[in-house]
């Protein structure tokens, strides 16, 4: 059997910086919750075989999402943890027995609703045959400043070789599970960090500026513009 591509969507956060009453992943964007957009981008891609959503134990909203017009490859499990890494690890553990060590896991934030299909295409094409995996990311374009404690510039940081990490982060199931089993779940902020800590070097694959993460309420307006523009594309 050929290697499968399984999307894992951590959606068990509270959205503390977003600051709404409901968790950020259920914030409305053009009439649909953010999480539904993220799921639809993944389930609509022909190379994705399955979409697994990790919810918090007290999630009450997922059951109300209308997924009827998506491919029936989406399922959810309420095994989310205290940190994003804990949620991803719990999701991976819940897949043991259903997934081969070589299968690809594409971890994608519920809070990134505008994932272009071309980013998935690039990840799948670039990483085919790779023993480890890699992440969508963009070279940093802006000049970087380190602040002192007083909103003044302490130093200019050379941006040579710096990339900003996005998701999907795509790793072999076995590699990612092993890495997260060994990780400090309160410290790692992305899957690649856990894999790097095992001495491996994940590949950087070109992401897309449209693939923004909704962190603050102000990000919704930009996401709405991007999504409308993308839906106008052929
Ligand atoms: N996430 C998760 N479990 C957690 C924390 C985060 O599954 N314990 C998920 C979020 O739901 C989101 C993704 O990880 O889809 C990226 O996290 P982030 O954007 O930081 O979302 P939150 O942690 O919810 O937001 P904040 O950090 O502002 O509280
Ligand atoms: Mg967070």
């Amino acid at each position: 059997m050929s290697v499968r591509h399984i999307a894992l969507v951590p959606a068990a956060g509270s959205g503390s910086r977003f600051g709404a009453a409901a968790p950020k992943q259920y914030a409305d964007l053009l009439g649909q919750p953010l999480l539904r957009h993220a799921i639809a981008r993944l389930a609509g891609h022909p190379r994705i075989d399955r979409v697994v959503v990790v919810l918090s134990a007290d999630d009450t909203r997922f059951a109300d999402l209308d997924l009827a017009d998506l491919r029936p490859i989406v399922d959810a499990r309420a095994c989310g943890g205290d940190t994003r890494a804990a949620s991803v690890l719990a999701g991976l553990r819940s897949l043991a027995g259903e997934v081969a060590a070589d299968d690809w896991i594409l971890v994608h934030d519920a809070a990134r609703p505008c994932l272009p299909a071309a980013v998935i295409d690039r990840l799948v094409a670039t990483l085919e045959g790779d023993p480890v995996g890699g992440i969508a990311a963009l070279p940093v374009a802006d000049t970087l400043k380190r602040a002192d404690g007083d909103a003044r510039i302490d130093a200019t940081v050379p941006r040579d070789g710096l990339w900003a990490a996005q998701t999907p982060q795509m790793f072999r199931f076995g590699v990612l599970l092993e890495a997260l089993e060994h990780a400090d779940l309160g410290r790692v902020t992305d899957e690649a960090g856990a894999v790097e800590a095992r001495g491996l070097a994940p590949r950087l694959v070109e992401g897309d500026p449209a693939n923004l993460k909704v962190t603050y309420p102000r990000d919704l307006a930009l996401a709405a513009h991007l999504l409308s523009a993308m839906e106008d594309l052929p």
Side-chain angles (χ1 to χ4, degrees):
M1 211 175 76
S2 62
V3 170
R4 293 182 302 162
H5 296 84
I6 297 152
L8 184 71
V9 182
S14 61
S16 55
R17 287 169 291 177
F18 194 78
K24 172 175 77 173
Q25 53 274 29
Y26 294 105
D28 183 87
L29 173 61
L30 299 178
Q32 288 176 30
L34 281 184
L35 173 58
R36 194 191 179 286
H37 286 286
I39 292 171
R41 307 301 305 175
L42 293 160
H45 195 285
R47 297 305 304 272
I48 300 294
D49 299 297
R50 196 170 161 191
V51 181
V52 177
V53 184
V54 177
L55 305 172
S56 77
D58 55 10
D59 185 284
T60 55
R61 294 177 171 83
F62 185 82
D64 294 333
L65 291 191
D66 182 2
L67 305 176
D69 63 337
L70 303 181
R71 279 196 295 150
I73 58 168
V74 183
D75 67 270
R77 34 204 82 187
C79 57
D82 288 345
T83 63
R84 180 201 144 97
S87 295
V88 172
L89 176 56
L92 292 176
R93 283 180 174 152
S94 79
L95 283 169
E98 304 171 45
V99 176
D102 277 356
D103 281 342
W104 289 110
I105 303 291
L106 289 87
V107 181
H108 183 62
D109 292 331
R112 293 186 192 267
C114 312
L115 172 64
V119 174
I120 299 177
D121 292 339
R122 279 198 289 276
L123 284 163
V124 169
T126 310
L127 299 175
E128 190 186 11
D130 194 286
V132 179
I135 69 168
L138 283 177
V140 172
D142 294 328
T143 296
L144 297 176
K145 306 293 184 187
R146 177 169 292 117
D148 63 12
D150 216 12
R152 287 189 174 275
I153 296 169
D154 179 46
T156 297
V157 181
R159 64 165 177 250
D160 310 339
L162 290 185
W163 292 58
Q166 301 187 333
T167 70
Q169 302 209 347
M170 176 171 154
F171 291 100
R172 302 276 183 189
F173 174 75
V175 169
L176 186 56
L177 180 61
E178 197 270 348
L180 285 170
E181 297 275 13
H182 286 88
D184 179 345
L185 298 178
R187 282 182 153 239
V188 287
T189 53
D190 69 349
E191 290 62 54
V195 173
E196 292 156 44
R198 303 303 290 160
L200 300 169
R203 188 133 174 194
L204 291 161
V205 179
E206 188 189 351
D208 194 303
N211 184 26
L212 86 169
K213 190 173 79 158
V214 173
T215 301
Y216 300 99
R218 63 171 187 242
D219 301 327
L220 277 179
L222 183 54
H225 281 297
L226 291 166
L227 214 51
S228 314
M230 287 164 78
E231 278 163 5
D232 287 344
L233 295 175

